[in-house]
Short mmCIF file of all heavy atoms in Angstrom, two decimals:
data_model
loop_
_atom_site.label_atom_id
_atom_site.label_comp_id
_atom_site.label_asym_id
_atom_site.label_seq_id
_atom_site.Cartn_x
_atom_site.Cartn_y
_atom_site.Cartn_z
N TRP Q 225 -135.75 -248.59 123.60
CA TRP Q 225 -136.33 -247.30 123.96
C TRP Q 225 -135.58 -246.15 123.31
O TRP Q 225 -134.41 -246.25 122.97
CB TRP Q 225 -136.22 -247.07 125.46
CG TRP Q 225 -137.08 -247.90 126.35
CD1 TRP Q 225 -137.84 -248.98 126.02
CD2 TRP Q 225 -137.24 -247.71 127.77
NE1 TRP Q 225 -138.46 -249.47 127.15
CE2 TRP Q 225 -138.12 -248.72 128.22
CE3 TRP Q 225 -136.72 -246.80 128.68
CZ2 TRP Q 225 -138.49 -248.83 129.56
CZ3 TRP Q 225 -137.09 -246.91 130.01
CH2 TRP Q 225 -137.97 -247.91 130.44
N SER Q 226 -136.29 -245.03 123.20
CA SER Q 226 -135.71 -243.74 122.86
C SER Q 226 -136.49 -242.68 123.62
O SER Q 226 -137.56 -242.97 124.16
CB SER Q 226 -135.77 -243.47 121.36
OG SER Q 226 -135.08 -242.28 121.04
N SER Q 227 -135.97 -241.47 123.65
CA SER Q 227 -136.62 -240.38 124.38
C SER Q 227 -137.14 -239.34 123.41
O SER Q 227 -136.57 -239.12 122.34
CB SER Q 227 -135.61 -239.73 125.33
OG SER Q 227 -136.20 -238.70 126.08
N GLY Q 228 -138.22 -238.71 123.79
CA GLY Q 228 -138.79 -237.62 123.00
C GLY Q 228 -139.53 -236.67 123.93
O GLY Q 228 -139.45 -236.80 125.15
N THR Q 229 -140.24 -235.74 123.35
CA THR Q 229 -141.04 -234.81 124.15
C THR Q 229 -142.48 -234.80 123.61
O THR Q 229 -142.73 -235.16 122.46
CB THR Q 229 -140.48 -233.37 124.11
OG1 THR Q 229 -140.46 -232.91 122.77
CG2 THR Q 229 -139.08 -233.30 124.71
N ALA Q 230 -143.37 -234.36 124.46
CA ALA Q 230 -144.80 -234.36 124.11
C ALA Q 230 -145.10 -233.46 122.91
O ALA Q 230 -146.02 -233.74 122.15
CB ALA Q 230 -145.62 -233.92 125.32
N ASP Q 231 -144.30 -232.40 122.72
CA ASP Q 231 -144.61 -231.44 121.66
C ASP Q 231 -143.87 -231.68 120.35
O ASP Q 231 -143.99 -230.91 119.41
CB ASP Q 231 -144.35 -230.02 122.15
CG ASP Q 231 -142.90 -229.76 122.51
OD1 ASP Q 231 -142.09 -230.72 122.56
OD2 ASP Q 231 -142.55 -228.59 122.77
N ARG Q 232 -143.12 -232.76 120.24
CA ARG Q 232 -142.40 -233.05 118.99
C ARG Q 232 -143.36 -233.52 117.90
O ARG Q 232 -144.35 -234.19 118.17
CB ARG Q 232 -141.34 -234.13 119.22
CG ARG Q 232 -140.20 -233.63 120.06
CD ARG Q 232 -138.87 -234.00 119.41
NE ARG Q 232 -137.80 -233.21 120.00
CZ ARG Q 232 -136.93 -233.67 120.87
NH1 ARG Q 232 -136.98 -234.92 121.26
NH2 ARG Q 232 -136.00 -232.89 121.34
N ARG Q 233 -143.02 -233.17 116.67
CA ARG Q 233 -143.85 -233.60 115.53
C ARG Q 233 -143.89 -235.11 115.42
O ARG Q 233 -144.92 -235.69 115.09
CB ARG Q 233 -143.31 -232.99 114.23
CG ARG Q 233 -143.36 -231.48 114.17
CD ARG Q 233 -144.69 -230.97 113.84
NE ARG Q 233 -145.06 -231.48 112.52
CZ ARG Q 233 -146.28 -231.44 112.03
NH1 ARG Q 233 -147.25 -230.93 112.74
NH2 ARG Q 233 -146.54 -231.93 110.85
N ARG Q 234 -142.76 -235.78 115.68
CA ARG Q 234 -142.76 -237.24 115.58
C ARG Q 234 -143.69 -237.86 116.61
O ARG Q 234 -144.33 -238.87 116.34
CB ARG Q 234 -141.35 -237.81 115.68
CG ARG Q 234 -140.67 -237.55 116.98
CD ARG Q 234 -139.28 -238.16 116.98
NE ARG Q 234 -138.49 -237.52 118.01
CZ ARG Q 234 -137.32 -236.97 117.82
NH1 ARG Q 234 -136.76 -236.98 116.64
NH2 ARG Q 234 -136.67 -236.42 118.81
N THR Q 235 -143.82 -237.24 117.78
CA THR Q 235 -144.77 -237.73 118.79
C THR Q 235 -146.19 -237.59 118.26
O THR Q 235 -146.99 -238.52 118.37
CB THR Q 235 -144.61 -236.96 120.11
OG1 THR Q 235 -143.25 -237.09 120.57
CG2 THR Q 235 -145.54 -237.47 121.18
N GLU Q 236 -146.48 -236.46 117.66
CA GLU Q 236 -147.80 -236.24 117.05
C GLU Q 236 -148.07 -237.29 115.97
O GLU Q 236 -149.17 -237.86 115.93
CB GLU Q 236 -147.83 -234.83 116.46
CG GLU Q 236 -149.10 -234.48 115.74
CD GLU Q 236 -148.99 -233.11 115.08
OE1 GLU Q 236 -148.46 -232.17 115.72
OE2 GLU Q 236 -149.45 -232.98 113.92
N ARG Q 237 -147.08 -237.53 115.11
CA ARG Q 237 -147.27 -238.53 114.05
C ARG Q 237 -147.48 -239.93 114.63
O ARG Q 237 -148.31 -240.70 114.14
CB ARG Q 237 -146.09 -238.51 113.09
CG ARG Q 237 -146.06 -237.26 112.21
CD ARG Q 237 -145.07 -237.36 111.08
NE ARG Q 237 -143.68 -237.42 111.50
CZ ARG Q 237 -142.90 -236.35 111.69
NH1 ARG Q 237 -143.38 -235.13 111.49
NH2 ARG Q 237 -141.65 -236.50 112.05
N LEU Q 238 -146.73 -240.28 115.69
CA LEU Q 238 -146.86 -241.61 116.29
C LEU Q 238 -148.20 -241.78 117.02
O LEU Q 238 -148.72 -242.88 117.09
CB LEU Q 238 -145.70 -241.88 117.25
CG LEU Q 238 -144.36 -242.12 116.56
CD1 LEU Q 238 -143.23 -242.06 117.57
CD2 LEU Q 238 -144.37 -243.43 115.80
N ARG Q 239 -148.75 -240.70 117.54
CA ARG Q 239 -150.08 -240.79 118.16
C ARG Q 239 -151.14 -241.10 117.10
O ARG Q 239 -152.11 -241.79 117.37
CB ARG Q 239 -150.42 -239.50 118.90
CG ARG Q 239 -149.61 -239.28 120.17
CD ARG Q 239 -150.14 -238.09 120.94
NE ARG Q 239 -149.21 -237.57 121.92
CZ ARG Q 239 -148.95 -238.13 123.11
NH1 ARG Q 239 -149.54 -239.26 123.43
NH2 ARG Q 239 -148.10 -237.57 123.95
N ARG Q 240 -150.92 -240.59 115.90
CA ARG Q 240 -151.85 -240.83 114.80
C ARG Q 240 -151.64 -242.21 114.16
O ARG Q 240 -152.59 -242.90 113.81
CB ARG Q 240 -151.70 -239.72 113.75
CG ARG Q 240 -152.77 -239.74 112.66
CD ARG Q 240 -152.55 -238.69 111.58
NE ARG Q 240 -151.36 -239.00 110.79
CZ ARG Q 240 -150.18 -238.38 110.90
NH1 ARG Q 240 -150.01 -237.40 111.74
NH2 ARG Q 240 -149.16 -238.74 110.16
N ASP Q 241 -150.37 -242.59 114.01
CA ASP Q 241 -150.02 -243.86 113.37
C ASP Q 241 -148.75 -244.38 114.05
O ASP Q 241 -147.67 -243.83 113.84
CB ASP Q 241 -149.77 -243.64 111.88
CG ASP Q 241 -149.52 -244.94 111.11
OD1 ASP Q 241 -149.14 -245.96 111.75
OD2 ASP Q 241 -149.68 -244.93 109.89
N PRO Q 242 -148.87 -245.43 114.88
CA PRO Q 242 -147.72 -245.87 115.68
C PRO Q 242 -146.67 -246.67 114.91
O PRO Q 242 -145.70 -247.11 115.52
CB PRO Q 242 -148.38 -246.74 116.76
CG PRO Q 242 -149.60 -247.28 116.11
CD PRO Q 242 -150.08 -246.17 115.19
N ARG Q 243 -146.82 -246.84 113.62
CA ARG Q 243 -145.80 -247.56 112.85
C ARG Q 243 -144.55 -246.70 112.67
O ARG Q 243 -144.65 -245.49 112.44
CB ARG Q 243 -146.34 -247.96 111.47
CG ARG Q 243 -147.45 -248.99 111.55
CD ARG Q 243 -148.00 -249.30 110.19
NE ARG Q 243 -148.61 -248.09 109.63
CZ ARG Q 243 -148.92 -247.92 108.35
NH1 ARG Q 243 -148.67 -248.88 107.48
NH2 ARG Q 243 -149.48 -246.80 107.93
N CYS Q 244 -143.40 -247.37 112.79
CA CYS Q 244 -142.13 -246.66 112.70
C CYS Q 244 -141.06 -247.63 112.25
O CYS Q 244 -141.04 -248.79 112.67
CB CYS Q 244 -141.79 -246.10 114.09
SG CYS Q 244 -140.13 -245.45 114.26
N THR Q 245 -140.17 -247.16 111.39
CA THR Q 245 -139.00 -247.93 111.01
C THR Q 245 -137.78 -247.27 111.63
O THR Q 245 -137.64 -246.05 111.58
CB THR Q 245 -138.85 -248.00 109.48
OG1 THR Q 245 -140.00 -248.65 108.93
CG2 THR Q 245 -137.59 -248.75 109.07
N LEU Q 246 -136.92 -248.10 112.23
CA LEU Q 246 -135.64 -247.63 112.75
C LEU Q 246 -134.54 -248.16 111.86
O LEU Q 246 -134.56 -249.34 111.49
CB LEU Q 246 -135.41 -248.14 114.17
CG LEU Q 246 -136.32 -247.60 115.25
CD1 LEU Q 246 -136.00 -248.27 116.58
CD2 LEU Q 246 -136.20 -246.10 115.37
N PHE Q 247 -133.57 -247.32 111.55
CA PHE Q 247 -132.40 -247.70 110.79
C PHE Q 247 -131.21 -247.45 111.71
O PHE Q 247 -130.78 -246.31 111.88
CB PHE Q 247 -132.31 -246.88 109.51
CG PHE Q 247 -131.15 -247.23 108.64
CD1 PHE Q 247 -131.18 -248.36 107.84
CD2 PHE Q 247 -130.01 -246.43 108.61
CE1 PHE Q 247 -130.10 -248.69 107.02
CE2 PHE Q 247 -128.94 -246.75 107.81
CZ PHE Q 247 -128.98 -247.88 107.01
N VAL Q 248 -130.73 -248.51 112.37
CA VAL Q 248 -129.62 -248.40 113.31
C VAL Q 248 -128.34 -248.66 112.54
O VAL Q 248 -128.24 -249.64 111.80
CB VAL Q 248 -129.79 -249.43 114.46
CG1 VAL Q 248 -128.70 -249.23 115.51
CG2 VAL Q 248 -131.18 -249.31 115.09
N PHE Q 249 -127.34 -247.78 112.70
CA PHE Q 249 -126.18 -247.84 111.82
C PHE Q 249 -124.87 -247.63 112.57
O PHE Q 249 -124.85 -247.16 113.69
CB PHE Q 249 -126.32 -246.80 110.71
CG PHE Q 249 -126.53 -245.40 111.21
CD1 PHE Q 249 -125.45 -244.56 111.46
CD2 PHE Q 249 -127.82 -244.91 111.46
CE1 PHE Q 249 -125.65 -243.26 111.91
CE2 PHE Q 249 -128.02 -243.62 111.92
CZ PHE Q 249 -126.93 -242.79 112.15
N ASP Q 250 -123.78 -248.00 111.88
CA ASP Q 250 -122.45 -247.68 112.38
C ASP Q 250 -121.78 -246.76 111.36
O ASP Q 250 -122.41 -246.34 110.39
CB ASP Q 250 -121.63 -248.94 112.68
CG ASP Q 250 -121.21 -249.72 111.44
OD1 ASP Q 250 -121.44 -249.26 110.31
OD2 ASP Q 250 -120.63 -250.80 111.61
N VAL Q 251 -120.51 -246.46 111.57
CA VAL Q 251 -119.82 -245.51 110.69
C VAL Q 251 -119.40 -246.14 109.36
O VAL Q 251 -119.04 -245.41 108.44
CB VAL Q 251 -118.60 -244.87 111.39
CG1 VAL Q 251 -119.04 -244.03 112.57
CG2 VAL Q 251 -117.60 -245.93 111.81
N ALA Q 252 -119.44 -247.45 109.26
CA ALA Q 252 -119.09 -248.11 108.00
C ALA Q 252 -120.37 -248.45 107.25
O ALA Q 252 -121.20 -247.57 107.02
CB ALA Q 252 -118.24 -249.36 108.28
N TYR Q 253 -120.56 -249.71 106.91
CA TYR Q 253 -121.71 -250.10 106.11
C TYR Q 253 -122.69 -251.02 106.82
O TYR Q 253 -123.71 -251.38 106.25
CB TYR Q 253 -121.24 -250.76 104.81
CG TYR Q 253 -120.50 -249.81 103.92
CD1 TYR Q 253 -119.11 -249.86 103.85
CD2 TYR Q 253 -121.17 -248.84 103.21
CE1 TYR Q 253 -118.42 -248.96 103.05
CE2 TYR Q 253 -120.49 -247.95 102.40
CZ TYR Q 253 -119.11 -248.02 102.33
OH TYR Q 253 -118.44 -247.13 101.55
N ALA Q 254 -122.38 -251.43 108.04
CA ALA Q 254 -123.27 -252.33 108.77
C ALA Q 254 -124.50 -251.56 109.24
O ALA Q 254 -124.44 -250.36 109.54
CB ALA Q 254 -122.54 -252.97 109.94
N TYR Q 255 -125.62 -252.27 109.30
CA TYR Q 255 -126.86 -251.63 109.73
C TYR Q 255 -127.84 -252.70 110.18
O TYR Q 255 -127.71 -253.88 109.88
CB TYR Q 255 -127.49 -250.80 108.61
CG TYR Q 255 -128.01 -251.65 107.46
CD1 TYR Q 255 -129.35 -252.07 107.45
CD2 TYR Q 255 -127.17 -252.08 106.44
CE1 TYR Q 255 -129.82 -252.88 106.42
CE2 TYR Q 255 -127.66 -252.88 105.41
CZ TYR Q 255 -128.98 -253.27 105.41
OH TYR Q 255 -129.45 -254.07 104.40
N LEU Q 256 -128.86 -252.25 110.91
CA LEU Q 256 -129.98 -253.10 111.30
C LEU Q 256 -131.24 -252.29 111.11
O LEU Q 256 -131.37 -251.19 111.67
CB LEU Q 256 -129.84 -253.55 112.76
CG LEU Q 256 -130.94 -254.45 113.32
CD1 LEU Q 256 -131.02 -255.77 112.55
CD2 LEU Q 256 -130.71 -254.71 114.81
N THR Q 257 -132.15 -252.80 110.29
CA THR Q 257 -133.44 -252.14 110.08
C THR Q 257 -134.48 -252.86 110.93
O THR Q 257 -134.55 -254.08 110.94
CB THR Q 257 -133.84 -252.19 108.60
OG1 THR Q 257 -132.84 -251.52 107.82
CG2 THR Q 257 -135.18 -251.51 108.38
N LEU Q 258 -135.27 -252.08 111.65
CA LEU Q 258 -136.31 -252.62 112.53
C LEU Q 258 -137.65 -252.00 112.17
O LEU Q 258 -137.81 -250.77 112.24
CB LEU Q 258 -135.98 -252.30 114.00
CG LEU Q 258 -134.63 -252.79 114.50
CD1 LEU Q 258 -134.33 -252.21 115.88
CD2 LEU Q 258 -134.59 -254.30 114.53
#
């Protein structure tokens, strides 16, 4: 989960197209793309 608000642009974009990529990262070079 993550939090947002009804009036955010990303909320508007997700209502139109629910596809999303998350890039979860640490301070070095490790990451997880979802």
Side-chain angles (χ1 to χ4, degrees):
W225 289 10
S226 186
S227 181
T229 59
D231 62 350
R232 289 228 164 104
R233 297 281 299 166
R234 63 180 160 233
T235 303
E236 177 185 317
R237 289 191 294 271
L238 289 167
R239 290 188 197 284
R240 190 184 67 256
D241 185 339
R243 293 177 297 164
C244 169
T245 298
L246 293 177
F247 181 78
V248 185
F249 55 91
D250 70 5
V251 295
Y253 295 103
Y255 69 93
L256 180 61
T257 300
L258 303 170

